[in-house]
Amino acid sequence: MEVILRLFISWEDLEKFEYIKKPSVVCKFCSNSCNRSVVEFSNHSYYVTGNRCEKGEILEDPKNPEVKEKIKAINTKQNRNRIC
């Protein structure tokens, strides 16, 4: 099976390309309270900027058990990196 890697968006896809920018989305996952900007694309992916840590990349509900597991994994990773 041949895999074709496309580095650029096609003209057809570019014509359909849409995004929404949401400024001032405050992160609730740590005490930094980062003021993030979130760009949501028409394919339901998103890009987050303005966060100071990995937790700021998460947009889901903090009460969601899966999100709690993500946060726990990030905290474990950060704690491991602090121990030298």
Side-chain angles (χ1 to χ4, degrees), residues 11-47:
W11 288 111
E12 293 81 21
D13 289 340
L14 185 59
E15 289 175 348
K16 295 182 237 171
F17 180 80
E18 294 180 4
Y19 70 94
I20 299 170
K21 182 177 177 186
K22 297 179 180 179
S24 303
V25 178
V26 178
C27 180
K28 300 174 183 166
F29 293 108
C30 73
S31 61
N32 287 334
S33 298
C34 295
N35 193 8
R36 308 169 295 171
S37 290
V38 178
V39 180
E40 292 183 7
F41 301 101
S42 53
N43 67 354
H44 305 291
S45 64
Y46 60 86
Y47 177 75

Side-chain angles (χ1 to χ4, degrees), residues 56-69:
E57 297 173 6
I58 300 172
L59 296 177
E60 294 88 6
D61 181 4
K63 296 175 187 173
N64 181 326
E66 291 177 15
V67 172
K68 287 181 180 183
E69 285 299 315

